[in-house]
């Protein structure tokens, strides 16, 4: 997300998430278990959602935690990711591979057992205060079956206190066929002025430019430590790394990224190698990451959090600044966040998050991304203020987006209702919703949040 600086002290809305009526349909004996649904991320998982490893152009590989078909091999994918970023890895002799069919069956069972309202709820990631969840907002998210949360605002309470907040949210997750549907619990833990969680157990993470001055080996090692801290706090998805390339000539005049030194560097190669190292380090600790903000916020002046009509008149579908995204996707990143700016050389008529050209043609077809497309904040950002909450949700899904991020839980009811209404009216839209739910459930399966025997 294009976050405002710590000095602004912006508190993202608090809230919570799901927990729905039991569905009387009981999963078969081989149905997914719930061990990981309580927050333990197993096996592979990494960035993306996440984890782009630094791959040279043309290289291939994948990171743990993601497989388009729902299958994942922690040893094979982690080995590829680490090798791509310059490290070495030896798989344990007894490492196991999860058959793609088993994972797909797990997703099918969850999907089939869900009500329409529960499926729609999986499309949302709602804001919850990192310091303390507001119970009114928690009830709103729970009533709407919201499937993932983002810890917002600022907390200096440390890992143990954060884990208590997270556990309270997870305990209210939706139940399907007697099993809780595991939740993605995310936050913005980039470093510098964009670090939601601090206090005992958390390191003070330097800003992106500082991280970009380190060797990739050093960054990968430290990122692993930071990821372990998040994991101890119950967080399994970091909304990072920043893959935006801010030209040196623009520097701090770039409102969303450069002003706060969030970029890893000023060239595609540096940003690609260091965003990949960051993601690879998180992969080793079993925490997912998210590439953001596609197709890049490095060439704009305004911050979409605080400014309307932010436009990029430089970036095209062939720009070198897409390299960090391309390499991260090749590495297996399961999540990519879409920006709220307009890219006049790609689609001058729509915000990126509402553009089927940006999402469908450039991201899906040209770059080959098969994971979960998550929006930047559609709840509070000034960039979308001219649209009603209902329009924001419907436009994003219609354009090919999958997960709606809103730091304001109070807009979820209108958004969810609008999605359900459009599903009843439009078969093509209904198919996009179902596809999105399956992508999200597949990512959860790959993250260890849906365990099937």
């Amino acid at each position: 997300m294009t976050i405002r600086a710590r000095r602004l002290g912006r508190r993202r809305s608090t809230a919570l998430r799901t927990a729905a009526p039991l569905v009387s349909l009981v999963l078969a004996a081989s149905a997914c278990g719930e061990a990981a649904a309580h927050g333990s991320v197993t096996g592979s998982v990494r960035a993306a959602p996440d984890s782009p490893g630094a791959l040279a152009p043309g290289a291939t590989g994948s990171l743990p935690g993601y497989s388009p078909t729902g299958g994942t091999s922690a040893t094979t994918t982690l080995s590829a990711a680490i090798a791509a970023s310059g490290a070495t890895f030896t798989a344990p002799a007894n490492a196991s591979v999860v058959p793609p069919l088993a994972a797909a069956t797990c997703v099918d069972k969850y999907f089939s057992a869900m009500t329409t309202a529960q499926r729609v709820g999986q499309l949302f990631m709602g804001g919850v205060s990192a310091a303390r969840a507001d119970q009114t907002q928690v009830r709103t998210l729970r009533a709407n079956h919201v499937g993932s949360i983002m810890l917002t605002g600022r907390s200096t309470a440390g890992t143990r206190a954060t884990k208590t907040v997270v556990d309270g949210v997870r305990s209210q997750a939706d139940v399907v066929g007697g099993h809780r549907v595991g939740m993605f619990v995310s936050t913005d833990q980039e470093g510098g002025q964009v670090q939601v969680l601090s206090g005992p157990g958390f390191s003070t993470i330097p800003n992106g430019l500082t991280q970009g001055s380190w060797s990739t080996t050093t960054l990968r090692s430290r990122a692993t430590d930071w990821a372990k801290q998040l994991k101890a706090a119950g967080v399994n998805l970091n909304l990072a790394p920043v893959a935006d390339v801010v030209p040196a000539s623009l520097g701090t005049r770039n409102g969303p990224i450069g002003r706060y030194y969030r970029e890893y560097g000023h060239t595609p190669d540096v940003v690609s190698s260091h965003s990949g190292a960051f993601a690879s380090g998180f992969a080793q600790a079993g925490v997912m990451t998210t590439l953001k903000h596609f197709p890049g916020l490095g060439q704009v002046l305004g911050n979409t959090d605080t400014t309307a009509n932010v436009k990029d008149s430089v970036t095209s579908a062939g720009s070198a600044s897409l390299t960090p995204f391309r390499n991260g996707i090749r590495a297996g990143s399961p999540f990519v966040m879409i920006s709220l700016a307009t890219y006049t050389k790609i689609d001058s008529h729509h915000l990126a998050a509402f553009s089927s050209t940006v999402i469908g043609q450039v991201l899906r077809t040209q770059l080959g991304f098969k994971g979960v497309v998550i929006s930047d904040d559609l709840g509070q950002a000034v960039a979308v203020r001219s649209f009603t909450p209902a329009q924001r949700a419907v436009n994003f899904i219609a354009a090919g987006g999958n997960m709606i991020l809103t730091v304001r839980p109070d807009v979820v009811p209108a958004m969810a209702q609008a999605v359900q209404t459009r599903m009843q009216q439009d078969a093509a839209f209904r198919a996009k919703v179902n596809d999105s739910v399956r992508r999200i459930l597949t990512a959860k399966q790959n993250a260890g949040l849906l365990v099937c025997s």
Side-chain angles (χ1 to χ4, degrees), residues 32 67-72 98-112 438 441-442 445-446 452:
C32 314
S67 165
T69 62
T72 178
V98 178
L101 179 59
T105 300
C106 178
V107 168
D108 289 341
K109 288 176 178 176
Y110 269 93
F111 181 86
S112 298
R438 288 182 178 278
L441 290 177
T442 296
Q445 162 66 16
N446 292 330
C452 293

Side-chain angles (χ1 to χ4, degrees), residues 96-392:
S96 61
V97 175
V98 178
L101 179 59
T105 300
C106 178
V107 168
D108 289 341
K109 288 176 178 176
Y110 269 93
F111 181 86
S112 298
M114 286 179 169
T115 65
T116 297
Q118 287 177 321
R119 291 176 186 174
V120 171
Q122 288 297 308
L123 304 179
F124 291 91
M125 175 176 282
V128 175
S129 171
R132 184 182 63 176
D134 178 280
Q135 291 307 304
T136 298
Q137 294 176 327
V138 167
R139 287 191 292 270
T140 297
L141 293 181
R142 184 173 57 197
N144 288 276
H145 313 283
V146 173
S148 301
I149 65 165
M150 175 187 179
L151 300 181
T152 64
R154 290 289 185 270
S155 171
T156 59
T159 55
R160 289 186 179 181
T162 302
K163 182 65 159 51
T164 298
V165 172
V166 171
D167 286 348
V169 173
R170 279 206 171 100
S171 68
Q172 301 181 61
D174 251 18
V175 175
V176 172
H179 299 280
R180 290 198 185 280
V181 183
M183 298 175 62
F184 282 122
V185 178
S186 73
T187 196
D188 278 315
Q189 199 83 339
E190 299 173 14
Q193 296 184 67
V194 185
Q195 180 173 343
V196 171
L197 304 175
S198 60
F202 288 112
S203 299
T204 298
I205 305 174
N207 63 43
L209 273 182
T210 298
Q211 294 176 42
S213 70
W214 299 342
S215 70
T216 54
T217 300
T218 296
L219 177 55
R220 187 182 308 110
S221 175
R222 296 189 182 179
T224 299
D225 292 337
W226 302 333
K228 289 177 180 177
Q229 295 165 6
L230 285 182
K231 192 172 184 178
V235 177
N236 54 25
L237 172 62
N238 191 3
L239 299 181
V242 169
D244 308 297
V245 180
V246 180
S249 59
L250 192 55
T252 56
R253 290 188 297 127
N254 172 256
I257 310 298
R259 181 180 178 185
Y260 307 119
Y261 309 105
R262 299 170 68 189
E263 71 273 34
Y264 289 106
H266 302 298
T267 65
D269 287 346
V270 171
V271 174
S272 184
S273 63
H274 285 70
S275 61
F278 182 98
S280 181
F282 269 70
Q284 292 183 57
V287 176
M288 305 170 87
T289 58
T290 306
L291 290 172
K292 64 184 186 184
H293 310 79
F294 189 83
L297 284 174
Q299 294 283 359
V300 304
L301 296 178
N303 184 337
T304 56
D305 277 347
T306 59
T307 309
N309 302 315
V310 175
K311 294 186 178 181
D312 176 333
S313 58
V314 176
T315 302
S316 69
S319 291
S321 59
L322 296 186
T323 299
F325 294 101
R326 179 178 292 106
N327 287 349
I329 289 167
R330 284 173 175 164
S333 181
F335 278 82
V336 171
M337 179 180 287
I338 303 295
S339 91
L340 303 181
T342 299
Y343 297 80
T344 59
K345 287 190 174 181
I346 301 176
D347 181 351
S348 61
H349 301 294
H350 303 92
L351 305 184
F354 301 156
S355 170
S356 59
T357 301
V358 171
I359 298 175
Q361 294 184 28
V362 182
L363 181 59
R364 293 288 192 203
T365 302
Q366 181 177 313
L367 270 63
F369 182 61
K370 294 179 173 58
V372 176
V373 175
I374 184 171
S375 72
D376 204 338
D377 175 36
L378 294 182
Q380 185 166 281
V382 173
V384 295
R385 193 164 290 177
S386 62
F387 299 88
T388 66
Q391 290 171 329
R392 300 168 204 171

Side-chain angles (χ1 to χ4, degrees), residues 33-55:
E34 62 177 338
H38 295 287
S40 60
V41 178
T42 63
S44 73
V45 144
R46 178 267 104 19
D50 100 340
S51 43
L55 293 182

